[in-house]
Amino acid sequence: MLNDVTQTTETSAPARTPAPPRTPRVHRAWFVAAVTFVTIIGAAAFASLPGLLIEPLHGEFHWSRGTIGLAVSVNLALYGLTAPFAAALMDRFGIRRVVAVALSVISLGSLLTVWMTAAWQLVLYWGLLVGLGSGSMALAFAATVTNRWFVARRGLVTGILTAAGASGQLVFLPLLSWLVEHHGWRPAAVTVALAAAAVVPFVWLLLRDHPADVRLAPYGGAYVEKPAPVTGAARRALTVLFRAARTGPFWLLAGSFAICGASTNGLVKTHFVPAAHDHGMPVTAAAGLLAVIGVFDVVGTIASGWFTDRFAPRRLLAVYYALRGISLLFLPMLLAPSVHPPMLFFIVFYGLDWVATVPPTIALCREHYGDDSAIVFGWVLASHQVGAAFIAFAGGVARDVFGSYDIVWYASGALCAAAALMALVIRRPGARQAVPAL
């Protein structure tokens, strides 16, 4: 009888882990990537607005540009500092729930700004609420989806999902700038709130947390069971940080990515429109140039993902940062009342490099930190946003003190050169570092 029980147990054991069904002609991973792309596009509406608010809020409430920049810097800092915890929360509660709640918080924060009358309310609504929500919608979301659903084509998919933010900027920036110019900033804030809320049903109905939820293997990989929910999300995020902080590559990635944030979200996205307006360019024209940056950012980021699958990521980063620094050094000489060919060349060149740094940075996190790479990238992204927050605030203060943004452009160009050198220092996992003789 014991043998019968043993045989029955042995024959029934495989039934607990059934083999996945046939592979569909178009893998479900691509549909998940498509939903993620659309979600990030919808959430990108709020990222298009801060640079358009500086002049209207300064004119209506007489707040200094430094004060407005403080609210933007709180938003950017929380965007980054929330990201690693959001990645851990996705492991605990699932991607779908975390993203749906995040979009709802973004919508609420943007809508409440319509009734604000004091600067602290701008910091609370736009800085705190939208910052927390956007942090949960940060690039850690794209990294988590890519790591779970793809084994092959990870670099390409990372580039496509990263480009979604630029696509959202392309879709919403001309509309928002037109609304601000002709109807004021409040209708623009309402539009952002509605855009974030409209994406929630798509996330809840179409997004899936793991390939095993639909009994599929990840694209290009073998079937694996869905792991159990990971408890202690905050503790895990901090544990991963402390572990990664003992390694040199983490600090090189974090430092270079902080400069990346300072030279993109903190500087150009926040201050390009008011800087161009200082030189007599209409706000709608300056916003149109930012939208063109978004067009070429899509091309550059997808191409960067393709390059990341084929070339050393650290060398790609060095090239990207060096070229960005050179372009920023020339920008003060190009700003003028009207759009001219050299400015268009800058817009195209800079747009190709805007977030091309993301795919190789995620690839380096994956190489060095394996299963913890999404959370590690969340902390690296936190440094990106801290750098962006500092420049968003410092740029506004510099404009108030010096009457010009020139010094900020030059400083950012020099920092990009330092980031290129930091990227070159990163070595492959396990590579021996030369130790100087004592």
Side-chain angles (χ1 to χ4, degrees), residues 46-81:
F46 64 83
S48 304
L49 193 56
L52 303 177
L53 290 180
I54 293 178
E55 291 299 330
L57 293 179
H58 175 70
E60 179 174 338
F61 298 107
H62 305 291
W63 299 334
S64 70
R65 292 173 178 82
T67 299
I68 301 169
L70 174 62
V72 177
S73 69
V74 170
N75 175 291
L76 294 172
L78 288 176
Y79 177 100
L81 293 173

Side-chain angles (χ1 to χ4, degrees), residues 83-99 136 140-141 143-149 209-210 213 226-237 240 370-376 378:
F85 297 97
L89 286 172
M90 288 178 188
D91 287 342
R92 174 66 179 88
F93 299 105
I95 299 173
R96 185 170 58 169
R97 293 179 181 177
V98 172
V99 173
S136 301
F141 171 39
T144 302
V145 170
T146 304
N147 288 347
R148 290 187 182 184
W149 281 89
D209 294 329
H210 195 278
D213 289 341
K226 182 178 180 178
V230 180
T231 59
R235 183 175 65 251
R236 185 185 176 207
V240 171
D371 292 339
D372 292 331
S373 62
I375 297 177
V376 173

Side-chain angles (χ1 to χ4, degrees), residues 26-49:
V26 178
H27 198 283
R28 180 67 176 268
W30 295 108
F31 293 102
V32 172
V35 173
T36 304
F37 186 89
V38 173
T39 302
I40 296 175
I41 285 180
F46 64 83
S48 304
L49 193 56

Side-chain angles (χ1 to χ4, degrees), residues 146-159 218 305 309 359 366:
T146 304
N147 288 347
R148 290 187 182 184
W149 281 89
F150 291 86
V151 174
R153 300 289 188 270
R154 277 178 170 174
L156 177 62
V157 174
T158 300
D309 287 332
R366 191 180 299 121

